[in-house]
Structure formats: C-alpha cells, structure tokens
Amino acid sequence: MSDSVALDPVDLEILRILQNDARTTYRDLASAVGVAPSTCLDRVARLRRSGVILGHALRLDPSRLGRRLEALLSVQVRPHRRELIGPFVERVRKLPESRALFHLTGPDDYLVHVAVADAADLQRLVLDEFTSVKEVARVETRLIFQQWSCGPLLPPGATHRPRPGAASA
Amino acid sequence: MSDSVALDPVDLEILRILQNDARTTYRDLASAVGVAPSTCLDRVARLRRSGVILGHALRLDPSRLGRRLEALLSVQVRPHRRELIGPFVERVRKLPESRALFHLTGPDDYLVHVAVADAADLQRLVLDEFTSVKEVARVETRLIFQQWSCGPLLPPGATHRPRPGAASA
DNA sequence: AGTGAAATCACAGTGGT
DNA sequence: ACCACTGTGATTTCACT
C-alpha cells in the first residue's frame, strides 16, 4: 500500500525544484533537469499517480489573516478508547483554529497545532473546545515563538547533487 | 509590517479553493466564485502582493519516499543564549530528516518534527545529531502514530459558507 | 522511456464600462 | 472594481525514435 517508489536522479531533481516553487513551468523544469518539457510532464504525472506527490498547497501567512498567535496543545484523552478518540479527532480537525493534529506515543496522546487571533482567543479555544469536554483529561499549552520550515523532503541517503549547468534557485 | 489584510467574501472563497488545490485555473476559480477570470487574476495577484499568499508548495507523502516513521523531538538547549541557539537552529534546519522546527515556551525549548526511514534511523539521528551535541541538554522522543491536516486557514470569525452552485472538490 | 512539432488552452495586459 | 478582448507563451497531445 505505501511502498516506496523507485526514483531516479531526474525525479529527485524535479521534486527538489517543485518543493521550492510548485509553480515552476515544465519548460523551466525541463531545462533545469536536462530533459524535454513533455518528458517532465510525464514524470510529474507519474509521481502524482504513484502517490509521491499528494497535491499542491498554498502557503499562507497566518498573521496576515489576523491569526497572530500560534500554539501547540498537548492533550490527554481519557479513557483512550476508539469510541472516544474518533469523535475527538474529527471535532478537533473541524475547528477553524486547528492547523495540524498528531496522535503520539507518550503520556500526552495528542498534539494540536493551532493558530489564533491573540491570547484571549487562545484562552477561549482551550476552555470552550478542550477542557470543557469530558473525555479531555488534561491540556498543556505551549506558545510558538518562532517556526521554521526545513529543507526539501527526499529519500533517505539521496545525495543532493545539482548538475553543473542547473539553476539552483 | 504584519498587519492583517481586509478580505471580502470573494477573497475568502478564492483562498479556500486554492488551499484545496493550488493549481486550480483562473477560469475554474472564476466560475466557482462568480466573477470574471481576469478579476480572479487581479484578486490573487493582490493577495500575493499583500503577503497573504507566501507561495506554492508541493505536498509529498514521506512514506512513499522511504521515510516510514515520523517523530517529534523535544529538545532543551542549555544555556539558552543567542550565540548557541542560532547555530543550533541552522544545523537542525539543514538535516534532511527535519520537516519542521518550533521554538516554544515551556521547559522544552524546541520541537523538531522529523521523518526517518525506521527506528534504527531515528536512533542514529537522535544519538548523532542531538544528544552528542554539547549544548543539547535533553531530548525526548515521541513517535507519531498518525497525523491529520486540518481545515483551510481563514481569518478569525470568517463563517465558511460555500455557495450553493460552487463545486467544493 | 524519451523527443519535437503542433494544437489547445491558460495567463497577463489593455482598454472600456 | 469589474469585465471583454487579445497576443503571448505554456501545457498537453501525438506520431516517431
């Protein structure tokens, strides 16, 4: 089901470039990796079909949308049984403040990444949507001072070796 | 600098659709929100200029790239001073295993989201890149059982009300 | 699988309401 | 602010290697 896919260096280079800018034209892509534009199209279509590429997402600035404060909520759901955690997960996913949700090992079962307007909004969210719910045993709130995105995601051991003539911007 | 931008319902609808699929054509976008394609172009260009839209990113499936295990590392950096944390952040960002990095309030200063091949790979990463570094005082590792992405990011209070005729796929 | 040419279609101005 | 029109150029298909 989720087997790895065999990727040659051309595929890797395509993925690297598209992770920087997913709207790179096939023409530019082609000249960067050294194949024809139509071949690039084939490659990308295959990467989409094989499930390596899940989709294209917009990167938005939460603070420009009036969400100036982000936080991580560690949540204990007790008792930790399927009939409780299923609805919990769905409810949290539907909150407009939620950005991501993780089910983790360790004493805190869930981690929720939220983006809110301000501290008062965060307080309201925690009180109304988490601590007031009976299956939520504990919530720990940590504010995010700063966050960084990291380098492109590539297969383990993939030596990232741009070709001599390729523009790496 | 990071002031919110005034967004009308058409802008919000455009953002909602583009968050589902950032490659929606202006033609489809236009028919979905009920204005002309050229107007959509204007709207999106303004959203880019005003900084609401930061860019376009590819969503990849880590497991298809051979990274079948993800984890969150809580890291204490001591002493927590600028001359130590700057290089620490840059080093972590450059690791091919890093997906995201957060600087947080609370006893654990940093949270690192990593994607690795397997448990042995995770052990290697923690031992070689974190616990062996002298400014790293403590590392706590939690595995990610499952993760979910959440609804589209919208301004606080934006009632998400899709129009009757709009295709929401 | 990869290529190159040709048809189709989207994009980005311009000008007008 | 919105829309219609249009040239430019990117995307996609197809016959061929």
Side-chain angles (χ1 to χ4, degrees):
Chain A
M1 182 23 193
S2 89
D3 266 347
S4 318
V5 178
L7 298 170
D8 67 17
V10 173
D11 291 320
L12 294 179
E13 188 68 11
I14 287 174
L15 289 177
R16 274 212 324 111
I17 293 170
L18 288 180
Q19 277 183 92
N20 280 342
D21 178 7
R23 283 200 337 179
T24 308
T25 66
Y26 289 107
R27 210 165 141 270
D28 294 348
L29 208 51
S31 71
V33 303
V35 298
S38 48
T39 305
C40 272
L41 189 72
D42 275 358
R43 296 278 193 147
V44 173
R46 189 168 341 135
L47 290 169
R48 295 188 115 265
R49 275 198 310 274
S50 62
V52 175
I53 296 176
L54 295 171
H56 294 249
L58 218 53
R59 292 188 307 109
L60 298 182
D61 183 347
S63 71
R64 300 274 172 163
L65 288 165
R67 300 188 177 272
R68 290 191 187 73
L69 186 62
E70 294 189 59
L72 297 177
L73 310 180
S74 294
V75 182
Q76 268 190 7
V77 176
R78 292 297 139 81
H80 197 160
R81 287 196 319 243
R82 278 194 187 274
E83 63 264 32
L84 285 179
I85 67 177
F88 170 79
V89 165
E90 281 316 307
R91 214 170 42 74
V92 171
R93 288 190 66 186
K94 288 207 189 78
L95 294 174
E97 290 86 2
S98 297
R99 299 201 64 185
L101 172 61
F102 299 89
H103 185 193
L104 301 177
T105 60
D108 293 315
D109 313 312
Y110 289 94
L111 190 79
V112 192
H113 179 182
V114 298
V116 294
D118 50 33
D121 195 24
L122 181 60
Q123 183 189 33
R124 175 197 59 76
L125 180 72
V126 170
L127 292 177
D128 293 352
E129 301 292 344
F130 290 91
T131 57
S132 70
V133 175
K134 71 172 184 311
E135 65 263 29
V136 170
R138 201 176 74 91
V139 178
E140 188 184 311
T141 303
R142 281 168 295 168
L143 302 186
I144 297 174
F145 284 140
Q146 194 173 359
Q147 58 186 302
W148 297 267
S149 59
C150 299
L153 188 65
L154 288 178
T159 20
H160 139 223
R161 195 183 342 164
R163 344 196 125 197
S168 66
Chain B
M1 184 16 195
S2 87
D3 267 346
S4 318
V5 177
L7 299 170
D8 66 18
V10 173
D11 292 320
L12 294 179
E13 187 68 10
I14 287 175
L15 289 178
R16 273 210 326 110
I17 293 171
L18 288 181
Q19 278 182 88
N20 278 343
D21 178 7
R23 284 201 335 180
T24 307
T25 65
Y26 290 108
R27 228 161 126 261
D28 295 348
L29 208 52
S31 71
V33 304
V35 299
S38 47
T39 304
C40 272
L41 190 74
D42 279 356
R43 297 279 193 144
V44 174
R46 186 164 347 132
L47 290 169
R48 294 189 117 265
R49 274 199 313 274
S50 63
V52 174
I53 295 176
L54 294 170
H56 295 250
L58 217 53
R59 292 188 308 110
L60 297 182
D61 183 347
S63 72
R64 302 274 171 159
L65 288 166
R67 300 188 178 271
R68 291 190 187 72
L69 187 61
E70 294 188 59
L72 297 177
L73 311 181
S74 295
V75 182
Q76 270 189 5
V77 176
R78 292 296 138 83
H80 198 161
R81 288 196 319 245
R82 278 193 186 275
E83 63 265 31
L84 285 179
I85 66 177
F88 170 80
V89 165
E90 281 317 306
R91 214 170 43 74
V92 171
R93 288 191 66 187
K94 289 209 189 77
L95 294 174
E97 290 85 2
S98 297
R99 298 201 65 186
L101 173 61
F102 299 89
H103 186 193
L104 302 177
T105 60
D108 294 315
D109 313 312
Y110 290 93
L111 191 78
V112 192
H113 179 183
V114 298
V116 295
D118 50 34
D121 195 25
L122 181 59
Q123 184 188 34
R124 175 198 58 75
L125 181 71
V126 170
L127 292 178
D128 292 353
E129 300 292 345
F130 290 91
T131 57
S132 70
V133 175
K134 71 172 183 310
E135 65 263 32
V136 171
R138 203 176 74 91
V139 178
E140 188 185 311
T141 304
R142 281 168 296 168
L143 303 186
I144 297 174
F145 284 140
Q146 196 174 359
Q147 56 187 304
W148 297 266
S149 58
C150 300
L153 186 66
L154 289 178
T159 23
H160 139 225
R161 196 184 341 165
R163 347 196 122 197
S168 67

